[in-house]
């Protein structure tokens, strides 16, 4: 098994912008912990950054302070930085080519949002033949309310993890993932 850690969209938008991540508690600390251990154990790390195509977008506007990576993620080592414009980290990026060239067969997912970009990327990875580890406490989300209804952050996170575990990913927490690296 050769894994790569994908750190998806850990950007200021989710801290000081319009979309503050609220669940689970300690999500950023867990992301930083897995990044640090990945670096210590020579697990290749891919940092993914999202931006909206529309230059006047109120979210993830390229070049804005909210678009920037969280400073703690930005200062940590990574092997590749991927910029994307859609929820899936494979769509319109060089991720697939890099993974193949690196001999990766397992993707470990952390970052934001559990139900959107992490979920989409996990599904894409599984469809492309990768084993997927979805880090339950190193992903995070927020409450959502729209024309379809409303859901709390905890409900949305739990439902996404349950759906992932059914067929797509192995959902594990950070301590279990860290044990696999020894």
């Amino acid at each position: 098994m050769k894994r790569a850690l994908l750190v998806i969209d850990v950007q200021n938008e989710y801290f000081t912008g319009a979309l503050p991540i609220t669940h689970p508690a300690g999500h950023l600390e867990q992301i930083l912990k897995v990044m640090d251990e990945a670096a210590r154990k020579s697990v290749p790390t891919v940092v993914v950054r999202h931006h909206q195509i529309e230059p006047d977008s109120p979210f993830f506007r390229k070049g804005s302070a909210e678009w920037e990576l969280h400073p703690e993620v930005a200062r940590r080592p990574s092997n590749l930085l991927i910029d994307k414009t859609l929820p899936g980290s494979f769509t319109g990026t060089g991720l697939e080519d890099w993974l193949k060239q690196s001999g990766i067969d397992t993707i470990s997912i952390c970052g934001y949002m559990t139900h959107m970009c992490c979920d989409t990327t996990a599904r894409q990875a599984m469809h492309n033949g990768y084993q997927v580890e979805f880090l339950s406490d190193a992903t995070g989300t927020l409450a959502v309310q729209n024309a379809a209804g409303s859901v709390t952050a905890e409900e949305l996170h739990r439902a996404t993890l349950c759906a992932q575990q059914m067929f797509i990913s192995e959902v594990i927490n950070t301590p279990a993932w860290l044990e696999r690296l020894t």
Side-chain angles (χ1 to χ4, degrees), residues 99-121:
L99 293 170
K100 285 182 179 179
Q101 291 169 2
S102 301
I104 304 297
D105 61 11
T106 302
I107 306 296
S108 304
I109 292 179
C110 69
Y112 307 128
M113 290 186 289
T114 307
H115 67 283
M116 186 64 68
C117 297
C118 294
D119 179 73
T120 302
T121 298

Side-chain angles (χ1 to χ4, degrees), residues 127-139:
H127 287 186
N128 289 335
Y130 296 96
Q131 296 296 311
V132 182
E133 299 168 323
F134 203 106
L135 303 183
S136 61
D137 55 353
T139 54

Side-chain angles (χ1 to χ4, degrees), residues 6 8 48 84 86-93 95-96 99 107 109 116-132 134 164 168-169:
L6 267 61
I8 300 174
V48 180
K84 66 178 181 61
L86 291 168
S89 298
F90 287 84
T91 305
T93 72
L95 179 59
E96 177 77 12
L99 293 170
I107 306 296
I109 292 179
M116 186 64 68
C117 297
C118 294
D119 179 73
T120 302
T121 298
R123 291 169 187 272
Q124 289 179 319
M126 188 273 286
H127 287 186
N128 289 335
Y130 296 96
Q131 296 296 311
V132 182
F134 203 106
Q164 280 289 319
I168 298 158
S169 299

Side-chain angles (χ1 to χ4, degrees), residues 7 10 28 31-32 35 47 69-77:
V7 182
V10 185
L28 178 62
I31 291 167
L32 300 177
M35 287 185 77
V47 173
L69 294 171
H70 186 283
E72 288 297 320
V73 168
R75 73 177 190 83
R76 283 173 164 74

